[in-house]
Amino acid sequence: DAGVTQSPTHLIKTRGQQVTLRCSPKSGHDTVSWYQQALGQGPQFIFQYYEEEERQRGNFPDRFSGHQFPNYSSELNVNALLLGDSALYLCASSISGAGNTIYFGEGSWLTVV
Amino acid sequence: AQSVTQLDSQVPVFEEAPVELRCNYSSSVSVYLFWYVQYPNQGLQLLLKYLSGSTLVKGINGFEAEFNKSQTSFHLRKPSVHISDTAEYFCAVSDTNAGKSTFGDGTTLTVKP
């Protein structure tokens, strides 16, 4: 049973460019959350998708957007990249419901130059 | 709003010694509490979680944590650490929606021979 898979694992972008990161949730999971983890910090919640709708959102600007597909996979899009967007982007999946364990992927390392 | 404070940014300890990683949280509602471990260049792995019931929670790899509601703490302990426990440890709090978690800034546990 595959866990949460993310792609790409590493990428380098230039300031002002746009990036799309992808996530396939663990089998049977219907909820996908995205987190940004800057170097030396804990993960920060970006948003969560359930039934193809954004259900919750953290304190991130509109440059950060996402999508969930009917097969529950998800994309994170970041427009007009800034140097400060350089981070590890983590996808987490779960089964909707209080207290259900969330499983993290290994992340996508984004470097903005 | 919720917040998590991990009281020690770095904890060095000798192999086979006991260790405690401290975590305090604040929340205006009932919470679920989690400890995750992150090895270099990897995603987060759940060590243990507190949802309700017994305040002493046992997790994987010999770790346990105690929920103390009056002190709003959820400290992680292990009676005897191994070199392989060297990693970053994150405490997290979640509301009724398990997908949205607030993380602390992490504690680096370094186990020395």
Side-chain angles (χ1 to χ4, degrees):
Chain A
D1 175 27
V4 180
T5 58
Q6 294 187 241
S7 63
T9 54
H10 295 81
L11 70 167
I12 301 174
K13 290 287 189 177
T14 304
R15 277 178 298 175
Q17 285 188 316
Q18 179 264 346
V19 68
T20 297
L21 308 177
R22 296 176 178 81
C23 172
S24 292
K26 186 175 171 63
S27 178
H29 286 194
D30 56 9
T31 302
V32 173
S33 302
W34 286 92
Y35 290 80
Q36 179 195 67
Q37 186 179 15
L39 204 59
Q41 296 182 20
Q44 299 289 319
F45 178 78
I46 303 175
F47 42 54
Q48 182 183 80
Y49 278 84
Y50 171 69
E51 292 189 340
E52 303 179 51
E53 297 284 334
E54 183 183 290
R55 185 158 67 171
Q56 285 186 301
R57 189 179 182 90
N59 293 325
F60 281 80
D62 292 344
R63 298 187 297 110
F64 290 77
S65 63
H67 189 77
Q68 185 179 34
F69 299 93
N71 66 353
Y72 306 118
S73 66
S74 176
E75 289 182 349
L76 165 65
N77 300 292
V78 187
N79 294 322
L81 285 167
L82 304 173
L83 296 179
D85 294 331
S86 295
L88 176 66
Y89 288 86
L90 294 165
C91 173
S93 75
S94 61
I95 300 171
S96 180
N100 284 320
T101 300
I102 59 175
Y103 292 82
F104 283 86
E106 296 200 348
S108 294
W109 282 100
L110 171 64
T111 302
V112 182
V113 298
Chain B
Q2 299 171 326
S3 67
V4 175
T5 302
Q6 292 186 238
L7 299 169
D8 308 290
S9 59
Q10 297 191 32
V11 173
V13 63
F14 287 104
E15 193 174 18
E16 298 183 4
V19 70
E20 178 180 78
L21 307 184
R22 297 180 295 165
C23 172
N24 287 352
Y25 71 92
S26 67
S27 176
S28 58
V29 298
S30 297
V31 296
Y32 305 118
L33 294 158
F34 306 83
W35 275 98
Y36 293 88
V37 61
Q38 186 175 35
Y39 298 102
N41 300 316
Q42 294 189 24
L44 280 74
Q45 179 184 7
L46 180 69
L47 279 176
L48 48 79
K49 62 182 178 181
Y50 171 80
L51 304 181
S52 64
S54 174
T55 57
L56 183 62
V57 180
K58 294 189 182 297
I60 62 171
N61 300 342
F63 284 95
E64 63 180 31
E66 186 159 15
F67 169 60
N68 189 319
K69 187 175 183 178
S70 62
Q71 297 186 8
T72 60
S73 67
F74 190 54
H75 301 332
L76 180 71
R77 302 184 182 99
K78 186 170 182 177
S80 176
V81 294
H82 304 289
I83 298 289
S84 60
D85 292 324
T86 295
E88 191 79 13
Y89 291 80
F90 292 96
C91 179
V93 61
S94 174
D95 57 16
T96 54
N97 182 327
K100 179 184 177 183
S101 294
T102 300
F103 286 80
D105 283 336
T107 297
T108 303
L109 174 64
T110 303
V111 181
K112 300 179 286 186

